[in-house]
Amino acid sequence: MWEFESEAKMEHHKKSEIVAELKRISEENQKLTSLIKVMSSNYESLKAHLGKQQEDWSSPRTMGKTLHLGLGMAEDVNDGGCDNSANSESAFSGSSGEKNFKYSVEDLQLPSKKRKINYSLQKSESGNSSTEEEDLPDKEAHGVDGAAGHEAAVGSPRRNVSVRTRSEANTVSDGCHWRKYGQKMTRNNPCPRAYFKCAMAPSCPVKKLVQRRAEDPSIVTITYRGQHNHLLNPMAMAAMTAASNHSASFTMGNHLPFAASFPTLSSMSPFPPSSLNLTGNPDPNPNPNPNSNPGWHSVHPQLDVGNMQGQIARPGGNTHLGLNSVASITSDPNFTASLAAAIAGSMFGLGTSSKA
DNA sequence: CGTATTTGACCCGCGC
DNA sequence: GCGCGGGTCAAATACG
Ligand SMILES: [Zn+2]
């Protein structure tokens, strides 16, 4: 008698367990799927960017330029761009498979010789994990023009990536372990700025600085500085790999695969800093005045992701699909962040093909 | 007990 | 030279 009951119970338990497992797997699968989608989208963007870049290269005259990249359905991008004057603007829109992206480029000329690139990548998002953080005023536009420090091993990679996203977890891991080594209060921002260093590798020069917006506590700006000398999180890696495989035919020189740059990133040429916006908002004043940034500043490409609710439904376009992918993606803030970083990284590498 | 975080001191470039 | 803002170090502390 007891045995029966017991057995039944056990079976029941087993069942539940299996179901749970199933569910878990399903979720995972979904995650992966979104990841792939994102990667695809990003890949497209990259592609577009590459095209643009080539175009630019064709005309040596244009040294500085601003590029706006939109993922998902973006109707209008308002990125603040650095101080710049945009001269020409061209926009492309395309949809590959299930992703739909809009891409626009602005060309601007700067007096300085450095190239100023502004990437504005917009991705739709709606509710990702909104958590509160600690700080972050605004002003993400920084690039280092000079040499900042003393940590550089060989070539002292100075690439700077700024990611603006809807509040991420305090410890938003982009696949790496970060050790907090400092925190500073900034004068115009009630929120302090936190400094992190990558702790995954013994000597990984990568640093990250997180800052929360004063008015928008939900918006955080994460700035990555340097390049990892180790592999990043499996997720991003997988994504990257997948992307590369997926689009093997398309070769961006040797920069596409972020991983590719890992082997020897020591000697990379100066990387243009860039900024990525994963927020969901337009960004009233992204970087007011990038020029006057002390530490890591200078000019930087800007990438804005996030923002837009998909109302574009263009004829011939399969918007809802794109929307879907985006939505799923957004649900994974962490992934988004890592991806953003990865993408940004790829882009940088892209800028300079010569190495050492 | 080992490790990660906190937090004030220290350093450094820059403007006045 | 001084004050200031920004970035980093390191001792102290919290955490598991
Ligand atoms: Zn690292």
Side-chain angles (χ1 to χ4, degrees):
Chain A
M1 241 214 208
W2 285 106
E3 298 200 352
F4 284 116
E5 198 170 10
S6 171
E7 218 168 295
K9 217 187 242 171
M10 215 165 165
E11 209 150 310
H12 190 72
H13 269 229
K14 219 189 250 171
K15 205 167 170 186
S16 314
E17 227 174 303
I18 294 189
V19 171
E21 174 93 9
L22 210 62
K23 194 173 174 186
R24 194 179 61 78
I25 294 196
S26 191
E27 279 178 30
E28 201 171 337
N29 198 8
Q30 200 169 344
K31 224 180 238 182
L32 258 339
T33 301
S34 1
L35 189 154
I36 293 201
K37 281 182 185 174
V38 179
M39 271 322 293
S40 296
S41 296
N42 281 295
Y43 157 66
E44 292 297 337
S45 302
L46 249 2
K47 195 171 168 184
H49 177 232
L50 201 232
K52 206 340 184 186
Q53 194 103 110
Q54 284 180 341
E55 197 178 309
D56 281 343
W57 286 339
S58 309
S59 31
R61 287 298 136 212
T62 50
M63 250 359 207
K65 47 210 141 197
T66 306
L67 195 169
H68 289 272
L69 231 172
L71 276 187
M73 29 287 321
E75 189 146 345
D76 141 271
V77 183
N78 63 359
D79 101 307
C82 333
D83 57 9
N84 35 27
S85 34
N87 303 353
S88 62
E89 184 175 319
S90 47
F92 304 83
S93 61
S95 54
S96 48
E98 332 184 318
K99 43 237 143 192
N100 203 328
F101 67 92
K102 180 180 176 185
Y103 153 93
S104 61
V105 185
E106 288 180 31
D107 225 349
L108 65 149
Q109 293 193 332
L110 278 245
S112 62
K113 304 195 157 185
K114 296 182 174 189
R115 338 186 273 206
K116 217 172 236 183
I117 307 181
N118 230 336
Y119 301 92
S120 207
L121 210 175
Q122 307 206 336
K123 177 171 75 173
S124 74
E125 89 32 67
S126 6
N128 36 359
S129 69
S130 55
T131 47
E132 63 306 269
E133 214 102 316
E134 42 207 270
D135 46 276
L136 257 319
D138 61 307
K139 96 225 323 11
E140 54 271 27
H142 290 26
V144 167
D145 47 332
H150 17 275
E151 71 250 14
V154 195
S156 69
R158 225 111 249 157
R159 80 196 226 305
N160 196 336
V161 184
S162 282
V163 181
R164 281 201 295 293
T165 180
R166 196 130 162 106
S167 73
E168 300 224 8
N170 223 338
T171 46
V172 175
S173 331
D174 51 353
C176 293
H177 277 173
W178 298 96
R179 180 179 116 269
K180 189 176 190 174
Y181 68 92
Q183 186 170 333
K184 264 293 212 196
M185 269 293 242
T186 52
R187 227 349 158 163
N188 321 333
N189 292 3
C191 323
R193 179 180 300 178
Y195 300 86
F196 293 88
K197 188 172 177 259
C198 179
M200 277 202 102
S203 58
C204 181
V206 177
K207 287 176 188 153
K208 167 174 102 167
L209 109 65
V210 188
Q211 196 164 10
R212 200 168 228 190
R213 260 193 182 219
E215 320 115 17
D216 273 323
S218 45
I219 309 253
V220 200
T221 303
I222 304 172
T223 305
Y224 296 92
R225 199 163 88 170
Q227 196 166 39
H228 292 279
N229 54 28
H230 55 84
L231 274 19
L232 21 70
N233 71 339
M235 228 179 6
M237 277 300 272
M240 275 314 193
T241 306
S244 333
N245 289 342
H246 222 294
S247 51
S249 46
F250 173 63
T251 42
M252 260 176 143
N254 43 357
H255 340 318
L256 187 352
F258 191 50
S261 34
F262 282 138
T264 47
L265 51 140
S266 40
S267 52
M268 285 233 149
S269 5
F271 319 76
S274 85
S275 128
L276 224 168
N277 183 354
L278 299 181
T279 326
N281 346 329
D283 197 333
N285 94 4
N287 24 22
N289 194 359
N291 283 343
S292 58
N293 288 321
W296 352 8
H297 32 350
S298 178
V299 234
H300 41 293
Q302 202 171 54
L303 227 172
D304 283 321
V305 183
N307 161 345
M308 88 249 76
Q309 12 285 264
Q311 32 205 204
I312 268 199
R314 263 184 315 238
N318 25 7
T319 7
H320 58 287
L321 271 181
L323 188 63
N324 257 345
S325 55
V326 179
S328 331
I329 292 152
T330 347
S331 57
D332 280 334
N334 283 354
F335 164 70
T336 305
S338 64
L339 200 163
I343 295 287
S346 297
M347 279 194 164
F348 298 149
L350 193 153
T352 54
S353 44
S354 55
K355 64 292 320 3

PDB file of all heavy atoms in Angstrom, chain A residues 181 184 193 195 225 296, chain C residues 5-10:
ATOM      1  N   TYR A 181      37.237  48.722  -8.560  1.00  0.00           N
ATOM      2  CA  TYR A 181      38.443  49.279  -7.947  1.00  0.00           C
ATOM      3  C   TYR A 181      38.292  50.746  -7.587  1.00  0.00           C
ATOM      4  O   TYR A 181      39.238  51.368  -7.122  1.00  0.00           O
ATOM      5  CB  TYR A 181      39.647  49.080  -8.862  1.00  0.00           C
ATOM      6  CG  TYR A 181      39.618  49.877 -10.123  1.00  0.00           C
ATOM      7  CD1 TYR A 181      40.202  51.143 -10.186  1.00  0.00           C
ATOM      8  CD2 TYR A 181      39.010  49.377 -11.248  1.00  0.00           C
ATOM      9  CE1 TYR A 181      40.186  51.870 -11.353  1.00  0.00           C
ATOM     10  CE2 TYR A 181      38.982  50.102 -12.405  1.00  0.00           C
ATOM     11  CZ  TYR A 181      39.578  51.340 -12.463  1.00  0.00           C
ATOM     12  OH  TYR A 181      39.556  52.066 -13.616  1.00  0.00           O
ATOM     13  N   LYS A 184      33.746  57.202  -7.809  1.00  0.00           N
ATOM     14  CA  LYS A 184      33.883  58.646  -7.635  1.00  0.00           C
ATOM     15  C   LYS A 184      32.578  59.374  -7.802  1.00  0.00           C
ATOM     16  O   LYS A 184      31.755  59.015  -8.620  1.00  0.00           O
ATOM     17  CB  LYS A 184      34.836  59.168  -8.696  1.00  0.00           C
ATOM     18  CG  LYS A 184      36.256  59.322  -8.236  1.00  0.00           C
ATOM     19  CD  LYS A 184      36.385  60.387  -7.218  1.00  0.00           C
ATOM     20  CE  LYS A 184      37.716  61.080  -7.311  1.00  0.00           C
ATOM     21  NZ  LYS A 184      38.028  61.848  -6.164  1.00  0.00           N
ATOM     22  N   ARG A 193      30.340  57.479 -10.044  1.00  0.00           N
ATOM     23  CA  ARG A 193      30.790  56.708 -11.187  1.00  0.00           C
ATOM     24  C   ARG A 193      31.601  55.541 -10.659  1.00  0.00           C
ATOM     25  O   ARG A 193      32.428  55.713  -9.779  1.00  0.00           O
ATOM     26  CB  ARG A 193      31.666  57.606 -12.055  1.00  0.00           C
ATOM     27  CG  ARG A 193      32.201  56.927 -13.251  1.00  0.00           C
ATOM     28  CD  ARG A 193      33.055  57.889 -14.033  1.00  0.00           C
ATOM     29  NE  ARG A 193      32.289  59.066 -14.475  1.00  0.00           N
ATOM     30  CZ  ARG A 193      32.831  60.061 -15.139  1.00  0.00           C
ATOM     31  NH1 ARG A 193      34.102  60.058 -15.412  1.00  0.00           N
ATOM     32  NH2 ARG A 193      32.105  61.070 -15.509  1.00  0.00           N
ATOM     33  N   TYR A 195      34.200  52.340 -11.134  1.00  0.00           N
ATOM     34  CA  TYR A 195      35.266  51.856 -11.987  1.00  0.00           C
ATOM     35  C   TYR A 195      35.470  50.357 -11.778  1.00  0.00           C
ATOM     36  O   TYR A 195      35.603  49.897 -10.659  1.00  0.00           O
ATOM     37  CB  TYR A 195      36.561  52.591 -11.677  1.00  0.00           C
ATOM     38  CG  TYR A 195      36.455  54.070 -11.881  1.00  0.00           C
ATOM     39  CD1 TYR A 195      35.987  54.898 -10.876  1.00  0.00           C
ATOM     40  CD2 TYR A 195      36.809  54.631 -13.097  1.00  0.00           C
ATOM     41  CE1 TYR A 195      35.883  56.250 -11.066  1.00  0.00           C
ATOM     42  CE2 TYR A 195      36.704  55.989 -13.293  1.00  0.00           C
ATOM     43  CZ  TYR A 195      36.240  56.795 -12.267  1.00  0.00           C
ATOM     44  OH  TYR A 195      36.137  58.134 -12.460  1.00  0.00           O
ATOM     45  N   ARG A 225      36.870  50.152 -21.775  1.00  0.00           N
ATOM     46  CA  ARG A 225      38.121  50.688 -22.276  1.00  0.00           C
ATOM     47  C   ARG A 225      39.110  49.559 -22.454  1.00  0.00           C
ATOM     48  O   ARG A 225      39.371  48.812 -21.523  1.00  0.00           O
ATOM     49  CB  ARG A 225      38.681  51.687 -21.297  1.00  0.00           C
ATOM     50  CG  ARG A 225      39.683  52.584 -21.937  1.00  0.00           C
ATOM     51  CD  ARG A 225      39.870  53.768 -21.076  1.00  0.00           C
ATOM     52  NE  ARG A 225      40.895  53.527 -20.092  1.00  0.00           N
ATOM     53  CZ  ARG A 225      41.379  54.470 -19.339  1.00  0.00           C
ATOM     54  NH1 ARG A 225      40.893  55.672 -19.414  1.00  0.00           N
ATOM     55  NH2 ARG A 225      42.310  54.229 -18.487  1.00  0.00           N
ATOM     56  N   TRP A 296      39.450  59.671 -21.288  1.00  0.00           N
ATOM     57  CA  TRP A 296      39.307  58.878 -22.489  1.00  0.00           C
ATOM     58  C   TRP A 296      38.400  59.667 -23.342  1.00  0.00           C
ATOM     59  O   TRP A 296      37.247  59.671 -23.141  1.00  0.00           O
ATOM     60  CB  TRP A 296      38.674  57.579 -22.127  1.00  0.00           C
ATOM     61  CG  TRP A 296      38.551  57.408 -20.708  1.00  0.00           C
ATOM     62  CD1 TRP A 296      38.778  58.275 -19.708  1.00  0.00           C
ATOM     63  CD2 TRP A 296      38.137  56.243 -20.074  1.00  0.00           C
ATOM     64  NE1 TRP A 296      38.547  57.698 -18.535  1.00  0.00           N
ATOM     65  CE2 TRP A 296      38.156  56.462 -18.722  1.00  0.00           C
ATOM     66  CE3 TRP A 296      37.727  54.980 -20.551  1.00  0.00           C
ATOM     67  CZ2 TRP A 296      37.804  55.485 -17.805  1.00  0.00           C
ATOM     68  CZ3 TRP A 296      37.383  54.048 -19.644  1.00  0.00           C
ATOM     69  CH2 TRP A 296      37.435  54.308 -18.265  1.00  0.00           C
TER      70      TRP A 296
ATOM     71  P    DG C   5      35.536  70.375  -8.953  1.00  0.00           P
ATOM     72  OP1  DG C   5      34.333  71.209  -9.012  1.00  0.00           O
ATOM     73  OP2  DG C   5      35.843  69.580  -7.742  1.00  0.00           O
ATOM     74  O5'  DG C   5      35.525  69.362 -10.180  1.00  0.00           O
ATOM     75  C5'  DG C   5      35.908  69.795 -11.491  1.00  0.00           C
ATOM     76  C4'  DG C   5      36.440  68.613 -12.286  1.00  0.00           C
ATOM     77  O4'  DG C   5      37.812  68.356 -11.918  1.00  0.00           O
ATOM     78  C3'  DG C   5      35.678  67.308 -12.015  1.00  0.00           C
ATOM     79  O3'  DG C   5      35.404  66.688 -13.262  1.00  0.00           O
ATOM     80  C2'  DG C   5      36.622  66.488 -11.153  1.00  0.00           C
ATOM     81  C1'  DG C   5      37.991  67.007 -11.562  1.00  0.00           C
ATOM     82  N9   DG C   5      38.989  66.972 -10.491  1.00  0.00           N
ATOM     83  C8   DG C   5      38.817  67.370  -9.193  1.00  0.00           C
ATOM     84  N7   DG C   5      39.897  67.232  -8.469  1.00  0.00           N
ATOM     85  C5   DG C   5      40.834  66.715  -9.350  1.00  0.00           C
ATOM     86  C6   DG C   5      42.188  66.369  -9.128  1.00  0.00           C
ATOM     87  O6   DG C   5      42.849  66.443  -8.099  1.00  0.00           O
ATOM     88  N1   DG C   5      42.784  65.876 -10.284  1.00  0.00           N
ATOM     89  C2   DG C   5      42.144  65.743 -11.500  1.00  0.00           C
ATOM     90  N2   DG C   5      42.881  65.255 -12.508  1.00  0.00           N
ATOM     91  N3   DG C   5      40.884  66.077 -11.716  1.00  0.00           N
ATOM     92  C4   DG C   5      40.289  66.552 -10.591  1.00  0.00           C
ATOM     93  P    DG C   6      34.652  65.354 -13.297  1.00  0.00           P
ATOM     94  OP1  DG C   6      33.843  65.338 -14.526  1.00  0.00           O
ATOM     95  OP2  DG C   6      34.053  65.073 -11.985  1.00  0.00           O
ATOM     96  O5'  DG C   6      35.866  64.343 -13.514  1.00  0.00           O
ATOM     97  C5'  DG C   6      36.738  64.559 -14.609  1.00  0.00           C
ATOM     98  C4'  DG C   6      37.822  63.505 -14.612  1.00  0.00           C
ATOM     99  O4'  DG C   6      38.722  63.736 -13.516  1.00  0.00           O
ATOM    100  C3'  DG C   6      37.287  62.083 -14.446  1.00  0.00           C
ATOM    101  O3'  DG C   6      37.949  61.275 -15.388  1.00  0.00           O
ATOM    102  C2'  DG C   6      37.670  61.724 -13.010  1.00  0.00           C
ATOM    103  C1'  DG C   6      38.933  62.533 -12.818  1.00  0.00           C
ATOM    104  N9   DG C   6      39.252  62.899 -11.444  1.00  0.00           N
ATOM    105  C8   DG C   6      38.417  63.458 -10.509  1.00  0.00           C
ATOM    106  N7   DG C   6      39.005  63.675  -9.361  1.00  0.00           N
ATOM    107  C5   DG C   6      40.314  63.227  -9.555  1.00  0.00           C
ATOM    108  C6   DG C   6      41.413  63.210  -8.673  1.00  0.00           C
ATOM    109  O6   DG C   6      41.465  63.590  -7.507  1.00  0.00           O
ATOM    110  N1   DG C   6      42.541  62.684  -9.269  1.00  0.00           N
ATOM    111  C2   DG C   6      42.607  62.231 -10.569  1.00  0.00           C
ATOM    112  N2   DG C   6      43.767  61.759 -10.976  1.00  0.00           N
ATOM    113  N3   DG C   6      41.575  62.243 -11.408  1.00  0.00           N
ATOM    114  C4   DG C   6      40.470  62.756 -10.831  1.00  0.00           C
ATOM    115  P    DG C   7      37.525  59.786 -15.495  1.00  0.00           P
ATOM    116  OP1  DG C   7      37.580  59.407 -16.910  1.00  0.00           O
ATOM    117  OP2  DG C   7      36.316  59.557 -14.705  1.00  0.00           O
ATOM    118  O5'  DG C   7      38.760  59.078 -14.757  1.00  0.00           O
ATOM    119  C5'  DG C   7      40.050  59.181 -15.362  1.00  0.00           C
ATOM    120  C4'  DG C   7      41.063  58.407 -14.545  1.00  0.00           C
ATOM    121  O4'  DG C   7      41.252  59.043 -13.278  1.00  0.00           O
ATOM    122  C3'  DG C   7      40.698  56.958 -14.254  1.00  0.00           C
ATOM    123  O3'  DG C   7      41.831  56.141 -14.545  1.00  0.00           O
ATOM    124  C2'  DG C   7      40.387  56.957 -12.768  1.00  0.00           C
ATOM    125  C1'  DG C   7      41.280  58.068 -12.266  1.00  0.00           C
ATOM    126  N9   DG C   7      40.826  58.706 -11.038  1.00  0.00           N
ATOM    127  C8   DG C   7      39.584  59.208 -10.770  1.00  0.00           C
ATOM    128  N7   DG C   7      39.470  59.723  -9.571  1.00  0.00           N
ATOM    129  C5   DG C   7      40.730  59.542  -9.020  1.00  0.00           C
ATOM    130  C6   DG C   7      41.223  59.902  -7.740  1.00  0.00           C
ATOM    131  O6   DG C   7      40.624  60.454  -6.824  1.00  0.00           O
ATOM    132  N1   DG C   7      42.562  59.542  -7.585  1.00  0.00           N
ATOM    133  C2   DG C   7      43.325  58.918  -8.551  1.00  0.00           C
ATOM    134  N2   DG C   7      44.591  58.654  -8.219  1.00  0.00           N
ATOM    135  N3   DG C   7      42.870  58.584  -9.746  1.00  0.00           N
ATOM    136  C4   DG C   7      41.574  58.922  -9.906  1.00  0.00           C
ATOM    137  P    DT C   8      41.686  54.595 -14.336  1.00  0.00           P
ATOM    138  OP1  DT C   8      42.411  53.979 -15.451  1.00  0.00           O
ATOM    139  OP2  DT C   8      40.285  54.244 -14.085  1.00  0.00           O
ATOM    140  O5'  DT C   8      42.535  54.353 -13.009  1.00  0.00           O
ATOM    141  C5'  DT C   8      43.885  54.812 -12.982  1.00  0.00           C
ATOM    142  C4'  DT C   8      44.492  54.553 -11.624  1.00  0.00           C
ATOM    143  O4'  DT C   8      43.845  55.381 -10.640  1.00  0.00           O
ATOM    144  C3'  DT C   8      44.404  53.118 -11.111  1.00  0.00           C
ATOM    145  O3'  DT C   8      45.696  52.698 -10.720  1.00  0.00           O
ATOM    146  C2'  DT C   8      43.444  53.204  -9.944  1.00  0.00           C
ATOM    147  C1'  DT C   8      43.673  54.627  -9.456  1.00  0.00           C
ATOM    148  N1   DT C   8      42.547  55.228  -8.720  1.00  0.00           N
ATOM    149  C2   DT C   8      42.765  55.706  -7.450  1.00  0.00           C
ATOM    150  O2   DT C   8      43.855  55.649  -6.903  1.00  0.00           O
ATOM    151  N3   DT C   8      41.669  56.263  -6.848  1.00  0.00           N
ATOM    152  C4   DT C   8      40.411  56.382  -7.377  1.00  0.00           C
ATOM    153  O4   DT C   8      39.505  56.908  -6.734  1.00  0.00           O
ATOM    154  C5   DT C   8      40.240  55.871  -8.701  1.00  0.00           C
ATOM    155  C7   DT C   8      38.918  55.949  -9.369  1.00  0.00           C
ATOM    156  C6   DT C   8      41.316  55.320  -9.316  1.00  0.00           C
ATOM    157  P    DC C   9      45.889  51.209 -10.242  1.00  0.00           P
ATOM    158  OP1  DC C   9      47.084  50.695 -10.938  1.00  0.00           O
ATOM    159  OP2  DC C   9      44.613  50.465 -10.306  1.00  0.00           O
ATOM    160  O5'  DC C   9      46.260  51.453  -8.712  1.00  0.00           O
ATOM    161  C5'  DC C   9      47.118  52.547  -8.400  1.00  0.00           C
ATOM    162  C4'  DC C   9      47.338  52.619  -6.900  1.00  0.00           C
ATOM    163  O4'  DC C   9      46.216  53.282  -6.275  1.00  0.00           O
ATOM    164  C3'  DC C   9      47.493  51.274  -6.201  1.00  0.00           C
ATOM    165  O3'  DC C   9      48.538  51.378  -5.250  1.00  0.00           O
ATOM    166  C2'  DC C   9      46.141  51.047  -5.549  1.00  0.00           C
ATOM    167  C1'  DC C   9      45.669  52.461  -5.260  1.00  0.00           C
ATOM    168  N1   DC C   9      44.207  52.648  -5.339  1.00  0.00           N
ATOM    169  C2   DC C   9      43.546  53.338  -4.299  1.00  0.00           C
ATOM    170  O2   DC C   9      44.200  53.753  -3.339  1.00  0.00           O
ATOM    171  N3   DC C   9      42.213  53.527  -4.394  1.00  0.00           N
ATOM    172  C4   DC C   9      41.532  53.068  -5.453  1.00  0.00           C
ATOM    173  N4   DC C   9      40.224  53.284  -5.505  1.00  0.00           N
ATOM    174  C5   DC C   9      42.192  52.360  -6.519  1.00  0.00           C
ATOM    175  C6   DC C   9      43.518  52.175  -6.417  1.00  0.00           C
ATOM    176  P    DA C  10      49.140  50.097  -4.610  1.00  0.00           P
ATOM    177  OP1  DA C  10      50.580  50.341  -4.399  1.00  0.00           O
ATOM    178  OP2  DA C  10      48.679  48.901  -5.331  1.00  0.00           O
ATOM    179  O5'  DA C  10      48.416  50.135  -3.184  1.00  0.00           O
ATOM    180  C5'  DA C  10      48.256  51.362  -2.511  1.00  0.00           C
ATOM    181  C4'  DA C  10      47.442  51.168  -1.239  1.00  0.00           C
ATOM    182  O4'  DA C  10      46.037  51.335  -1.525  1.00  0.00           O
ATOM    183  C3'  DA C  10      47.574  49.779  -0.611  1.00  0.00           C
ATOM    184  O3'  DA C  10      47.473  49.909   0.803  1.00  0.00           O
ATOM    185  C2'  DA C  10      46.367  49.043  -1.168  1.00  0.00           C
ATOM    186  C1'  DA C  10      45.337  50.156  -1.166  1.00  0.00           C
ATOM    187  N9   DA C  10      44.269  49.978  -2.133  1.00  0.00           N
ATOM    188  C8   DA C  10      44.296  49.262  -3.298  1.00  0.00           C
ATOM    189  N7   DA C  10      43.168  49.293  -3.975  1.00  0.00           N
ATOM    190  C5   DA C  10      42.351  50.093  -3.196  1.00  0.00           C
ATOM    191  C6   DA C  10      41.032  50.525  -3.350  1.00  0.00           C
ATOM    192  N6   DA C  10      40.281  50.202  -4.403  1.00  0.00           N
ATOM    193  N1   DA C  10      40.508  51.313  -2.397  1.00  0.00           N
ATOM    194  C2   DA C  10      41.267  51.646  -1.353  1.00  0.00           C
ATOM    195  N3   DA C  10      42.528  51.308  -1.096  1.00  0.00           N
ATOM    196  C4   DA C  10      43.014  50.523  -2.066  1.00  0.00           C
TER     197       DA C  10
END
